[in-house]
Amino acid sequence: MIKRVTFRNLWLPYLLLLPQLAVTLIFFIWPAVQALYQSLLVEDAFGLSTEFVWFENFEALFSDPLYLDAFVNTVVFSFSVAFASMSLALLLAVMADRTIKGATAYKTLLIWPYAVAPAVAGVLWFFMFNPVVGINAYLLRGLGYDWNHYLDGGDAMILVVIAASWKQISYNFLFFLAGLQAIPRSLIEAAAIDGAGPFKRFWTIIFPLLSPTTFFLLVVNVVYAFFDTFGIIHATTEGGPAGATQILVYKVFSDGFIGLDLGGSAAQSVVLMAIVISLTVVQFRYIERRVEY
Amino acid sequence: MFNSKMIIAGMAGAFALSMASEAIAATEIQWWHAMGGRNGELVNEMAEGYNASQSEFKVVPVYKGTYTETMTAAIAAFRAKQQPHIVQVFEVGTATMMAAEGAVYPVYKLMEDTNTPFNQDDYLPAVVSYYTTPDNKLLSLPFNSSTPVMWYNKDALEKAGVTEVPSTWTEVFDASQKLVDSGMKCGFSFGWQSWVMVENFSAWHNIPMGTKENGFAGLDTEFVFNNDNVVNTLQKIADSSEKKLFQYGGRRGESLPMFTNGECGMWMNSSAYYGSMVQQAKFTFDQTMLPLNTDVADKAQNSIIGGATLWVLQGKPAAEYKGVAEFFNYISSPEVQARWHQETGYVPITTAAYELSKKQGFYDKNPGTDTAIKQLSLNTPTPNSKGIRFGNFVQVRDVINEEMEALWAGQKTAKEAMDTAVERGNALLRKFEKAND
């Protein structure tokens, strides 16, 4: 049970809330309002001439077939990243949870990739899979697969998913491992005595008990794939070839910061904001119900 | 406890202080640029050279990242009223800068206002024409310009039995076939494909890429690069990739290793790759002019440049612009320019610097290094080969890149790809027109 604290003084609770409210206002609400306003304007790069155009930027956006492609790409990309990074992290965490020799070193190594900046991770994978000089592309060619992410949209998508997931595995691993270690040994031992095999134990006891962690990670990973990955895309494929890896957040970045189309970019970020708000609502309303704390 | 050592130390300190305050007294001129590595060192050297030549101004070069980053940083700074005096902007940003009347200080006007001697005719026409108004007034100072050339692997061509260096597209295809037959992985490749294969292809064959003098004569311009000449050439290249004659290797310079590893025999890209070639290629290589498509034109016109220029931003005290003008004069001097040209592989921006490099014997010692400048000054630029000035061109280049990739991947024909590129490009032009009218 949460302990309820009653404040006698009417002003004190507000005063205590003030710093948090100020931070929210300055860093979230104000920029969001700015983006909303900007999305209704057509403006040149220097801000010398501004015209209020109502919803023209949005109309242009939704009549652009490429924007709809970016939607599909985003869904494919975020689902793949969340799935790949979480399942691999869970596998690694389950293995690291056993008592093995040199577990600390093993765990430390697994956490390392998280410290790598997204752009660096992108460049790293870009080099390994580079069709001209990359070692992985060379090995794949040896296996009879002609890897070329400059030309093949599918290859490019796989590349950015690998690069984006690789970084996130460490983070997920940490949480899964902590979750696993919080499960009482006695439960698992009891099940083992009752004759349940490792798989049965995992699916009926461990995994359900991990569900709060899994849910938390699902939210974090989807938000990560939606917002934090433009550095990776920029460093590996720049949204290409032929727009195959153009995801929504990268389009916001490239239209706004490279193309200097501020109105269009703002309109896109408003759409993105709406998507993430509704995703969060769906997650907490429907998926959270299945989570047992 | 005074002793003579302390007194001397104190005097030295006071002297240093007075020197420092003198240095502070010099008016600082901020110069934001995108030249990293060796080029960045040369930029610093230029500033130091100028600072040492007089005491009134002090030019401070600041490296701001890539071209795009430098430009967006300067624009953001302008909006925050913290802009630098000088900013280096790449050629595709020209239309954006030019449309920003009230934000930029045109170079011709700067020179007039500050009474600085300045003769526009000293500069190479093909370089300067990219950055002038329709009535031939210079807007920004040419600084680092390059142009695409065709690099070729001399050893490989000899081995394949190609006796003459290809100068037409037919010859390029023939030579590529021979190269592949002799065991090479591919005949030719290129990078910066919008710049090389659309923008320069059009200029080289004296055909327009867009209406209104390629955008120089007004914002209400439209693209026309989906014409038969461009489409047929691109389709031929795409078809030749089935026979491994052409292999695509990325949007910019990513395909360089394909050439320097000896996988492809010919490579069309910027003349500014000279330094990398010298470092990486383990065979004899050379550069020659871009190939001509004889179905399109009988003789080559001239190629157009890439690279960047220096723009001056408004909003600083009038006295400081005198320093900017003098600095521009200094870096345009033949000695400074010739050194810059020879060290970097960019073309010399003035005729005097070109002549000086000739006199110094640079081209005799480094054969082929004057291909770029010859290509640029082959003929007097026409409205089709003067350059291009399209709004939102950074995005348009991405559009062209995307559509060309779809072509190389076999998803679209050249006609479909170019039609879509024109349609999408025109939408971006209209958007730019709307934002800037």
Side-chain angles (χ1 to χ4, degrees), chain B residues 266-287:
Chain B
M266 291 171 280
W267 193 58
M268 285 162 239
N269 212 334
S270 169
S271 59
Y273 281 99
Y274 182 67
S276 319
M277 294 275 176
V278 173
Q279 274 179 357
Q280 294 173 22
K282 293 186 182 60
F283 48 81
T284 3
F285 64 87
D286 205 345
Q287 45 182 320

Side-chain angles (χ1 to χ4, degrees), chain A:
Chain A
M1 271 309 285
I2 301 161
K3 223 198 253 173
R4 283 185 188 277
V5 179
T6 320
F7 290 101
R8 296 272 155 77
N9 189 323
L10 201 63
W11 292 102
L12 186 63
Y14 291 104
L15 195 71
L16 292 175
L17 268 178
L18 202 65
Q20 178 63 47
L21 283 177
V23 166
T24 313
L25 265 176
I26 294 170
F27 292 105
F28 295 98
I29 310 293
W30 186 47
V33 171
Q34 283 278 317
L36 268 171
Y37 176 62
Q38 186 90 55
S39 70
L40 305 177
L41 303 177
V42 165
E43 195 177 41
D44 77 301
F46 283 86
L48 297 168
S49 73
T50 308
E51 198 183 333
F52 192 81
V53 293
W54 286 106
F55 298 102
E56 251 177 54
N57 286 324
F58 292 93
E59 278 167 35
L61 213 53
F62 287 102
S63 58
D64 181 2
L66 289 156
Y67 189 61
L68 302 174
D69 286 351
F71 255 102
V72 177
N73 290 340
T74 311
V75 172
V76 172
F77 175 75
S78 1
F79 179 77
S80 312
V81 169
F83 182 77
S85 61
M86 284 172 67
S87 51
L88 274 170
L90 183 59
L91 185 72
L92 290 169
V94 168
M95 295 198 305
D97 191 35
R98 299 178 185 178
T99 36
I100 45 167
K101 258 188 196 168
T104 325
Y106 181 51
K107 286 172 199 164
T108 312
L109 283 177
L110 275 169
I111 294 160
W112 264 1
Y114 193 61
V116 177
V120 177
V123 170
L124 211 80
W125 288 98
F126 169 79
F127 274 121
M128 287 196 282
F129 277 104
N130 187 306
V132 185
V133 293
I135 179 81
N136 288 357
Y138 176 77
L139 294 174
L140 280 170
R141 213 167 289 138
L143 294 172
Y145 184 78
D146 190 19
W147 175 275
N148 189 349
H149 67 256
Y150 288 137
L151 272 185
D152 190 312
D155 286 359
M157 184 52 104
I158 294 171
L159 174 67
V160 290
V161 168
I162 292 176
S165 313
W166 175 72
K167 245 191 74 56
Q168 200 62 11
I169 287 174
S170 318
Y171 182 86
N172 296 347
F173 169 78
L174 271 183
F175 278 83
F176 275 133
L177 189 64
L180 282 171
Q181 289 183 339
I183 295 172
R185 295 283 139 187
S186 52
L187 274 176
I188 300 163
E189 280 159 15
I193 292 166
D194 288 345
F199 281 99
K200 185 91 177 164
R201 290 202 297 270
F202 180 78
W203 285 115
T204 51
I205 298 173
I206 301 177
F207 194 66
L209 283 173
L210 270 181
S211 64
T213 315
T214 314
F215 174 68
F216 166 76
L217 287 178
L218 181 71
V219 177
V220 168
N221 279 288
V222 168
V223 170
Y224 162 77
F226 260 84
F227 285 104
D228 264 1
T229 45
F230 71 88
I232 288 172
I233 307 260
H234 192 55
T236 46
T237 60
E238 295 189 37
T245 53
Q246 179 89 279
I247 60 167
L248 292 172
V249 68
Y250 188 70
K251 202 167 157 58
V252 171
F253 166 76
S254 65
D255 285 4
F257 287 89
I258 298 175
L260 295 168
D261 172 13
L262 300 176
S265 174
Q268 289 177 38
S269 50
V270 168
V271 173
L272 196 58
M273 192 156 67
I275 294 172
V276 170
I277 289 173
S278 47
L279 260 179
T280 317
V281 169
V282 167
Q283 281 180 328
F284 279 92
R285 277 229 136 167
Y286 301 102
I287 303 179
E288 198 188 21
R289 284 190 185 168
R290 296 159 177 262
V291 174
E292 296 170 43
Y293 286 99

Side-chain angles (χ1 to χ4, degrees), chain B residues 16-151:
Chain B
L17 265 177
S18 70
M19 288 296 285
S21 63
E22 200 173 0
I24 290 164
T27 312
E28 283 203 359
I29 294 188
Q30 296 288 328
W31 176 20
W32 289 7
H33 65 84
M35 302 272 90
R38 174 76 186 127
N39 291 354
E41 287 168 24
L42 289 164
V43 159
N44 290 339
E45 208 176 89
M46 270 185 196
E48 276 159 28
Y50 172 71
N51 294 343
S53 73
Q54 44 76 53
S55 58
E56 205 179 333
F57 300 102
K58 182 167 182 254
V59 172
V60 185
V62 183
Y63 175 63
K64 277 283 171 184
T66 64
Y67 281 139
T68 320
E69 285 159 1
T70 307
M71 182 169 167
T72 37
I75 289 173
F78 183 85
R79 294 178 76 127
K81 300 197 166 52
Q82 301 284 328
Q83 72 272 29
H85 298 77
I86 308 168
V87 59
Q88 185 187 18
V89 175
F90 59 163
E91 88 282 11
V92 283
T94 305
T96 304
M97 297 302 287
M98 193 193 168
E101 270 172 58
V104 301
Y105 198 162
V107 164
Y108 79 91
K109 201 157 174 297
L110 169 83
M111 295 302 189
E112 265 172 31
D113 292 354
T114 54
N115 293 319
T116 313
F118 175 74
N119 187 0
Q120 204 172 303
D121 298 336
D122 291 347
Y123 296 81
L124 286 189
V127 175
V128 99
S129 62
Y130 206 110
Y131 303 103
T132 49
T133 58
D135 54 345
N136 200 29
K137 283 178 169 165
L138 190 63
L139 293 167
S140 61
L141 188 78
F143 181 63
N144 58 320
S145 303
S146 61
T147 201
V149 295
M150 187 165 83
W151 299 90

